[in-house]
Amino acid sequence: MEKMNQAYEKVKMLVGMEVDEDAAADESAAGGDSFMDEFNRQCTLTTKQRFYGFAICLAAGLTCTLLSMLVFFHPIKFGITFTFGNLLALGSTAFLIGPKRQVSMMLDPVRIYATALYIASMIVALFCALYVRNKLLTLLAIILEFGALIWYSLSYVPFARSMVSKVMLACFDTEF
């Protein structure tokens, strides 16, 4: 039962709920404290503030992404607003789970390549839009970014990437 209570307290810390100080002191005395546990205890955002931050950041990101469709035929403006919207939407989850946990989940061996591809594609899209200012390259970079976004998102759903890979192979595996 004691292990169950400790696990419950850890879950409460991870989602930003207030932790029972007696249980936290017992765990601290047992040597189970890590830097992340201490960091989560010192976090000043309440659960309500975390949800507001998440909702505002996600809404701003989705708004930027949807507004980018208005300037679709101007690939440079489209690339900037679409990428900025993706960054805001990606950052919104840091309000829910915390920035350190977000980074550790992004660097998890299951999704490290998807994360690297997604971040690289955002950098390439911004580089093409802001520095090169070539409409065709920006459009190609945005297509790459959109594909990387889908692949990165699928990495959070169990077996989704393998299922999509099998479906794509079945659809495009034809002989002439």
Side-chain angles (χ1 to χ4, degrees):
M1 187 64 176
E2 183 63 33
K3 286 191 176 204
M4 191 76 140
N5 287 337
Q6 287 177 351
Y8 179 66
E9 294 300 322
K10 281 195 176 221
V11 168
K12 283 172 60 175
M13 274 193 314
L14 287 176
V15 297
M17 294 174 62
E18 293 186 23
V19 180
D20 183 21
E21 294 299 325
D22 296 334
D26 291 344
E27 187 178 320
S28 178
D33 256 355
S34 69
F35 171 75
M36 186 62 187
D37 293 336
E38 186 63 32
F39 178 76
N40 279 339
R41 264 192 221 99
Q42 300 300 325
C43 185
T44 59
L45 293 178
T46 66
T47 305
K48 190 175 185 179
Q49 290 171 334
R50 286 178 186 256
F51 282 122
Y52 282 150
F54 167 74
I56 290 169
C57 207
L58 182 64
L62 292 176
T63 301
C64 281
T65 302
L66 292 174
L67 286 177
S68 70
M69 300 303 167
L70 295 176
V71 291
F72 180 74
F73 294 108
H74 302 283
I76 294 170
K77 292 177 184 177
F78 175 74
I80 293 168
T81 55
F82 185 77
T83 303
F84 186 64
N86 281 339
L87 284 172
L88 282 171
L90 181 66
S92 69
T93 55
F95 279 101
L96 288 181
I97 61 175
K100 186 165 179 129
R101 185 154 183 251
Q102 166 106 18
V103 170
S104 67
M105 287 176 69
M106 289 173 72
L107 298 178
D108 188 44
V110 172
R111 67 183 60 88
I112 184 73
Y113 297 117
T115 300
L117 181 66
Y118 183 45
I119 291 173
S121 67
M122 284 192 284
I123 292 170
V124 167
L126 286 175
F127 179 78
C128 290
L130 295 173
Y131 185 71
V132 177
R133 294 191 177 269
N134 185 325
K135 291 182 179 184
L136 181 63
L137 284 178
T138 303
L139 191 60
L140 290 173
I142 290 301
I143 291 169
L144 174 69
E145 181 180 346
F146 188 72
L149 169 65
I150 290 172
W151 196 250
Y152 172 77
S153 299
L154 288 175
S155 73
Y156 283 92
V157 180
F159 304 109
R161 292 189 298 179
S162 64
M163 184 177 63
V164 169
S165 296
K166 288 177 185 176
V167 168
M168 295 303 274
L169 282 174
C171 289
F172 295 112
D173 188 23
T174 58
E175 293 182 26
F176 293 104

